Amino acid sequence: MPQPSAQRGRPPRISRAEIIETARRIVDAEGVDRLTMRRLAKEVGSTPMALYHHVRDKEQLLVLLLDDYAARMAREPELPADPRERIVVTAAAIRETLAACPWIAEVLTADDLLGRSALWFVERILDGLEECGLSPERAVHGYRAIWYYTAGEIIVRAAAARRRAGDERPTYRERVFAGIDPGELPRLAAVADRWAELTAQDTYLDGLRALVDGLVGAP
Amino acid sequence: MPQPSAQRGRPPRISRAEIIETARRIVDAEGVDRLTMRRLAKEVGSTPMALYHHVRDKEQLLVLLLDDYAARMAREPELPADPRERIVVTAAAIRETLAACPWIAEVLTADDLLGRSALWFVERILDGLEECGLSPERAVHGYRAIWYYTAGEIIVRAAAARRRAGDERPTYRERVFAGIDPGELPRLAAVADRWAELTAQDTYLDGLRALVDGLVGAP
DNA sequence: GTTAGTTTTTATACATGTATAAAAAAGAAC
DNA sequence: GTTCTTTTTTATACATGTATAAAAACTAAC
């Protein structure tokens, strides 16, 4: 990590910005799987270990990459007047942006709050919650709940997609559902054959609305 | 993966059950970090690659381990009469069990529905939701929302704990919050100095209640 | 017994992240 | 200039997950 001290010591040949930019190019072009420290080093014209003077480890590199993406989030200017709807729109925007990069799941667990660029969205959610009458403390807790829900949705959905992309083995789930005893688990048995279809539907917004309603009181 | 075909071919010297049992012992005694395929092979008296005839890869091994844990979940027999409260109690039980093993986060992204043993909890949540008047389809979606929220909470909290356990560097968050402009982000600025304290509080139940309220209608 | 077929185990090899220590490239002090 | 200090880069090495292919251990057919 470069100190702001006066110019001394061997001058750097690569910068963190250069590393991140190259990493982003690789990820965009070939996916996160192809991003290795050796490959990245070669592309910036250096050696693998030199990278470690600019980023702590690969995980931090991915977090920085994620920040880079988050900074590009479209902050649509026309916001609904209803604070409740404003919260929904904002959370949905975050989720849409993050879900767009499928490698997110591996990083999302690394940091709950993204960089400066994401704070604007947090502000908007807090503002909506407080306008609905919540105290600042409860607004923070409400934001956290929304973030848990959103992060969970992205991660679980990304994992499911990854599994589907892998190989079409009989699916653990199918085998589990096949053995359901309707006497013991009647509710599950009733929907067992539609489970895959039902869980494949995108109900993020429904759940989000329910959560917001519950947080701020009945609509 | 052992086929149920007639006894033929070289007889196995290790079994999946033996592998999982040994893995659990290692994880319980020394943590998930010390669980390596080589170490595990040595402890079951075999070679690393032999394990791969009984489990697909390390990730699946961890999922199986998680199932093993989930099977031990306490299913407290006295349930509240109020279906709403029954949902809350059940989801909280799942969360408590899973949060008890801190290595969970690395696996949780692997499978949304755990093994047979966890289905009982799913059933209870579905039952509560339907008793509140939701259709079977909406109950499944409601369960998914609860699962997203719960998984997100566990993962984010586990990641935060891991980060804290690592090293006490100036915390990315602190630096981000230090640069907040009260003019631009007033809501955030107002709680900036209490952010760490507020987000450290355990508000899982509050959020869960809000979500359930929102899913089934006002209380 | 010999051969063929099937299942499990082993040996070897490779890619990857990264720890460790040495080397290189600069300015500062003399 | 020479030497010291600081910063960055490089070389080497290791642990890990796992792919690949060969070997081993058994049954069935003849």
Side-chain angles (χ1 to χ4, degrees):
Chain A
M1 315 330 151
Q3 256 82 359
S5 74
Q7 175 92 5
R8 219 166 48 161
R10 175 171 178 169
R13 303 177 48 160
I14 56 177
S15 68
R16 176 186 273 197
E18 191 182 353
I19 290 173
I20 293 176
E21 188 187 312
T22 308
R24 185 163 56 84
R25 220 186 42 230
I26 295 176
V27 168
D28 282 346
E30 309 181 32
V32 75
D33 289 344
R34 305 297 269 276
L35 181 69
T36 71
M37 298 306 269
R38 286 172 171 82
R39 163 82 184 276
L40 181 55
K42 202 166 285 179
E43 300 238 345
V44 300
S46 186
T47 59
M49 292 313 292
L51 302 175
Y52 286 84
H53 257 93
H54 303 270
V55 298
R56 178 162 33 84
D57 52 21
K58 191 179 181 184
E59 179 171 316
Q60 194 201 31
L61 173 65
L62 289 175
V63 171
L64 292 170
L65 254 191
L66 185 55
D67 265 6
D68 204 52
Y69 273 90
R72 287 184 181 69
M73 276 202 276
R75 37 180 91 182
E76 65 281 31
E78 0 92 39
L79 289 174
D82 176 27
R84 197 182 300 243
E85 200 55 28
R86 221 155 59 221
I87 299 168
V88 169
V89 166
T90 302
I94 295 177
R95 178 244 190 180
E96 195 180 350
T97 303
L98 297 187
C101 18
W103 48 273
I104 223 79
E106 303 162 35
V107 194
L108 218 50
T109 67
D111 245 312
D112 45 348
L113 239 203
L114 307 174
R116 278 191 166 72
S117 45
L119 289 184
W120 170 246
F121 290 86
V122 181
E123 173 76 14
R124 251 164 50 177
I125 290 176
L126 289 179
D127 185 66
L129 290 169
E130 294 191 35
E131 193 172 324
C132 287
L134 268 60
S135 71
E137 293 79 13
R138 292 189 62 84
V140 171
H141 293 152
Y143 158 73
R144 293 287 287 186
I146 292 174
W147 174 243
Y148 292 154
Y149 172 73
T150 304
E153 199 264 356
I154 292 170
I155 290 173
V156 169
R157 197 162 287 281
R162 187 153 41 89
R163 223 171 319 125
R164 239 176 299 114
D167 47 25
E168 56 292 336
R169 58 211 141 91
T171 340
Y172 190 46
R173 209 170 13 226
E174 278 174 30
R175 267 176 297 131
V176 169
F177 271 97
I180 286 185
D181 171 15
E184 199 189 357
L185 305 172
R187 304 289 199 188
L188 263 172
V191 293
D193 53 340
R194 275 179 302 157
W195 187 267
E197 170 207 343
L198 286 174
T199 59
Q201 289 171 20
D202 181 358
T203 56
Y204 170 79
L205 276 179
D206 294 331
L208 176 62
R209 284 216 166 79
L211 178 56
V212 173
D213 284 350
L215 287 171
V216 306
Chain B
M1 320 327 152
Q3 255 84 0
S5 72
Q7 175 90 6
R8 221 163 51 159
R10 176 170 178 168
R13 304 178 48 161
I14 57 178
S15 68
R16 175 186 275 196
E18 191 183 353
I19 290 173
I20 292 177
E21 189 188 309
T22 307
R24 185 162 57 84
R25 222 187 41 230
I26 295 175
V27 168
D28 282 345
E30 309 182 34
V32 74
D33 288 345
R34 304 298 268 277
L35 181 69
T36 70
M37 298 306 269
R38 285 172 172 81
R39 164 84 183 275
L40 181 55
K42 202 166 285 179
E43 300 238 345
V44 299
S46 187
T47 59
M49 292 313 292
L51 303 175
Y52 286 85
H53 256 96
H54 303 270
V55 299
R56 179 161 33 85
D57 51 23
K58 192 179 181 183
E59 180 171 314
Q60 194 202 28
L61 173 65
L62 288 175
V63 170
L64 292 171
L65 253 191
L66 185 55
D67 265 7
D68 204 51
Y69 273 90
R72 288 183 181 69
M73 276 200 277
R75 38 180 90 181
E76 65 282 30
E78 359 91 41
L79 290 174
D82 177 26
R84 197 183 302 242
E85 200 53 29
R86 222 154 59 221
I87 299 169
V88 169
V89 167
T90 303
I94 296 177
R95 179 247 191 177
E96 195 181 349
T97 302
L98 297 188
C101 19
W103 47 273
I104 223 79
E106 303 162 35
V107 193
L108 218 52
T109 66
D111 244 312
D112 46 346
L113 237 203
L114 307 174
R116 279 190 167 73
S117 45
L119 290 185
W120 171 246
F121 291 86
V122 181
E123 173 77 15
R124 251 164 50 176
I125 291 177
L126 290 179
D127 185 65
L129 290 170
E130 294 191 35
E131 191 171 325
C132 286
L134 267 62
S135 70
E137 291 79 14
R138 291 189 62 83
V140 170
H141 293 151
Y143 158 74
R144 294 286 287 184
I146 292 175
W147 174 244
Y148 293 154
Y149 172 72
T150 303
E153 200 264 356
I154 293 171
I155 290 173
V156 169
R157 197 162 287 281
R162 188 154 39 92
R163 222 172 317 124
R164 239 177 299 116
D167 46 24
E168 57 292 338
R169 56 213 144 89
T171 340
Y172 189 46
R173 210 171 11 229
E174 279 172 32
R175 268 176 296 130
V176 169
F177 271 96
I180 287 185
D181 171 16
E184 198 189 356
L185 306 172
R187 305 288 199 188
L188 265 171
V191 293
D193 53 340
R194 276 180 302 156
W195 187 267
E197 170 208 344
L198 286 173
T199 59
Q201 289 171 20
D202 181 359
T203 57
Y204 170 78
L205 276 179
D206 294 332
L208 177 60
R209 284 217 165 78
L211 178 55
V212 173
D213 284 350
L215 287 171
V216 306

